[in-house]
Amino acid sequence: MEKRIEKAVELFKEGYNCSQAVVAAFADLYGFTNEQALKMASSFGGGIGRMRQTCGAACGLFMLAGLETGCTDGKDREGKENNYKTVQALAEEFRKRNGSIICAELLGLAKTAPTPATPEARTAEYYKKRPCVKMVEEAARIWCEYLSTNSDKKSVE
């Protein structure tokens, strides 16, 4: 599974947003193409549409949880509960490792600071001031750990 973590980090460094990097690293396990995964996760980067809310890497982790444990029957209360418990446990683990699941807090930004929709250029300076690579790596690692103990996808490289 270490290759999946490395793939997520590489995707982020190629310019994909944090959510796209996490989801695309695992999408084939769920029958999605790379293009589908990238489109599906594209709106969640920068703390959801660069609004600095829930961290995009964490959102990617939660999307994977939906692919793994989500239910497809609107009346399946037990299935919904199981999925929500999984997401809450993953969120708590992400929070424990990183201090928060909120993008602005992870970036050390004031909560009231407006953020333009235009993403910053990925330069050496960008990577120095942003912990995003670490967030992507941690989200992918948490997902690998989850799969190793809770899924039939345990041995997938």
Side-chain angles (χ1 to χ4, degrees):
M1 286 291 198
E2 200 65 34
K3 288 181 182 179
R4 298 280 177 170
I5 298 166
E6 290 170 10
K7 181 178 180 182
V9 169
E10 287 170 18
L11 287 166
F12 183 77
K13 288 181 176 180
E14 287 175 18
Y16 295 102
N17 74 38
C18 41
S19 186
Q20 288 175 307
V22 173
V23 174
F26 297 90
D28 63 302
L29 298 179
Y30 302 98
F32 285 94
T33 66
N34 197 50
E35 182 179 352
Q36 289 169 323
L38 294 170
K39 284 185 176 185
M40 172 173 51
S42 65
S43 298
F44 296 91
I48 307 173
R50 208 160 185 269
M51 293 185 292
R52 306 301 188 212
Q53 299 297 316
T54 304
C55 169
C59 288
L61 178 61
F62 306 151
M63 279 190 266
L64 292 170
L67 293 172
E68 182 75 18
T69 67
C71 62
T72 57
D73 179 349
K75 295 178 182 154
D76 181 4
R77 292 181 61 208
E78 186 177 316
K80 288 179 188 179
E81 179 182 7
N82 178 53
N83 174 254
Y84 294 160
K85 282 181 179 180
T86 299
V87 169
Q88 289 174 10
L90 293 168
E92 184 53 35
E93 185 60 28
F94 189 92
R95 187 179 293 112
K96 185 172 91 177
R97 294 184 190 195
N98 302 298
S100 180
I101 64 168
I102 304 301
C103 177
E105 292 174 7
L106 293 166
L107 295 177
L109 300 174
K111 293 184 187 251
T112 58
T115 306
T118 305
E120 291 181 55
R122 298 284 180 88
T123 63
E125 190 59 35
Y126 172 92
Y127 289 112
K128 282 183 193 174
K129 68 180 181 177
R130 295 271 190 273
C132 304
V133 171
K134 180 181 181 285
M135 298 304 111
V136 167
E137 181 178 350
E138 284 297 331
R141 187 171 308 285
I142 290 166
W143 191 245
C144 285
E145 291 167 4
Y146 174 86
L147 291 178
S148 72
T149 58
N150 298 291
S151 176
D152 62 352
K153 295 172 177 58
K154 295 174 189 177
S155 62
V156 176
E157 297 249 347

